[in-house]
Amino acid sequence: MRREGGVRVDIVTIFPEYLAPLDLSLIGKARSSGQIEINVYDLRTWTHDVHRTVDDSPYGGGPGMVMRPEPWGEALDELLPVLEETDDGFSRKLRETARQEIVQPPRRARVIVPTPAGELFTQALAHELATEEHLVLVCGRYEGIDQRVLDEAAQRARVSEISIGDYVLFGGEVAALVMLEAVVRLLPGVLGNADSLTEESHADGLLEAPVYTKPATWRGREVPEVLRSGDHGRIARWRREESLRRTAERRPDLLGAAGNAGSAGDDGGRFPGSGTDMAK
Ligand code: JD8
């Protein structure tokens, strides 16, 4: 049962078993504690022929098959709240109920369509999706889904086509798992200590520093002395230095994006564009 303020996530796919990992670990715990309700649906539920057909040949020719619009249309008819148009995007019906209950009318559902042709998924987008009340993940296969399904859904929900990266997968299920894990861990109370949210990669736009634990010496390899010094100021500076060094080496594109392009702080200019003030 989803608790007040909990997030509802509906996932539609022809391979429901692909989403089994959502029963595990912290996402599994968040589900059983009601912080999040995740429903996985088999698209074939909304087919009516003996072969439960979900695909057909592409108009205009070309390789592979395309997912038929009808099963998706019926699925989204069932999962998306019916809205009568009002000027500010909230349905008249929902507004009436809201007025009676004097609460903020519920927002439209957010339909997420994983696709290699989508906007790139980022930590910032994960934070945005973590504010949604109702997410509907549309997991395609084959060459993709008839575009009219998304155009139709946009009448009744905010539709976002999102890619998890510039490489090609077989379908949307793995991408849905990636996005859901990134979003669920941002929900209040899911992560043991929320602090770790602030110190991690991409939280401040930089890659995180290397991490170590006991033993202090392993196979002749030492843990950096600074980390065993107990001097939290030195440790913080070392970690910042390591973050900048790694980011400059592996993801220089992030340095600019980390909002401190160009201003050469007193890091001796070792991180052009980092502008970080290391002295403090
Ligand atoms: C959804 C069908 C396969 C894609 C022909 C291969 C996301 N970053 C990403 N890479 N690939 C996907 C993705 C691939 C998908 C579907 C997402 C549905 N396919 C298609 C077009 C080329 N086949 C993705 N997010």
Side-chain angles (χ1 to χ4, degrees):
M1 184 52 214
R2 175 164 53 113
R3 65 182 179 197
E4 179 55 35
V7 180
R8 171 183 161 193
V9 178
D10 295 326
I11 305 172
V12 184
T13 166
I14 60 171
F15 295 125
E17 57 281 14
Y18 239 100
L19 286 304
L22 296 174
D23 302 336
L24 307 174
S25 177
L26 284 171
I27 296 182
K29 284 193 183 62
R31 292 176 80 175
S32 40
S33 67
Q35 281 160 298
I36 186 167
E37 170 195 331
I38 300 180
N39 311 305
V40 179
Y41 300 93
D42 184 338
L43 178 68
R44 295 185 195 278
T45 308
W46 290 281
T47 61
H48 309 293
D49 63 305
V50 66
H51 301 299
R52 311 187 86 202
T53 308
V54 293
D55 63 316
D56 206 331
S57 55
Y59 270 116
M65 300 293 271
V66 171
M67 300 195 92
R68 299 173 50 229
E70 298 92 334
W72 280 110
E74 291 182 35
L76 296 176
D77 284 351
E78 200 163 312
L79 297 174
L80 292 177
V82 177
L83 297 176
E84 304 117 33
E85 272 318 306
T86 66
D87 49 16
D88 60 1
F90 290 122
S91 82
R92 200 173 312 290
K93 181 162 66 53
L94 291 166
R95 178 162 297 290
E96 257 74 46
T97 47
R99 209 182 307 288
Q100 283 116 28
E101 292 142 15
I102 318 301
V103 294
Q104 174 61 26
R107 294 171 72 189
R108 288 177 175 209
R110 183 81 172 265
V111 171
I112 307 293
V113 184
T115 166
E119 65 177 295
L120 193 57
F121 186 61
T122 62
Q123 191 65 7
L125 190 44
H127 277 282
E128 183 192 318
L129 298 179
T131 68
E132 297 286 349
E133 290 166 11
H134 184 195
L135 292 172
V136 179
L137 285 106
V138 169
C139 298
R141 280 271 155 172
Y142 306 98
E143 299 311 303
I145 301 170
D146 186 301
Q147 187 63 34
R148 294 169 290 179
V149 170
L150 310 184
D151 303 343
E152 168 74 6
Q155 304 306 307
R156 296 176 26 210
R158 286 158 300 124
V159 176
S160 300
E161 296 185 61
I162 303 175
S163 167
I164 60 168
D166 299 338
Y167 38 82
V168 181
L169 305 171
F170 281 127
E173 288 79 9
V174 169
L177 285 171
V178 166
M179 291 188 230
L180 267 180
E181 177 155 318
V183 169
V184 172
R185 62 191 295 285
L186 298 174
L187 299 177
V190 170
L191 263 189
N193 66 1
D195 300 353
S196 62
L197 278 178
T198 49
E199 275 138 44
E200 65 195 10
S201 273
H202 303 294
D204 58 0
L206 297 175
L207 305 186
E208 61 197 47
V211 292
Y212 300 84
T213 186
K214 290 186 281 303
T217 307
W218 178 70
R219 296 189 181 182
R221 298 173 183 278
E222 295 294 323
V223 170
E225 173 280 330
V226 59
L227 296 180
R228 292 180 285 128
S229 68
D231 177 337
H232 297 300
R234 270 188 68 211
I235 291 168
R237 284 193 296 279
W238 179 86
R239 283 178 171 158
R240 175 78 175 169
E241 184 115 350
E242 284 298 304
S243 280
L244 286 163
R245 182 182 57 73
R246 275 182 160 191
T247 308
E249 273 167 23
R250 302 173 185 184
R251 294 293 308 279
D253 59 297
L254 287 177
L255 277 180
N260 44 36
S263 53
D266 69 347
D267 58 351
R270 272 164 301 167
F271 300 102
S274 72
T276 54
D277 172 351
M278 296 304 294
K280 274 204 242 58

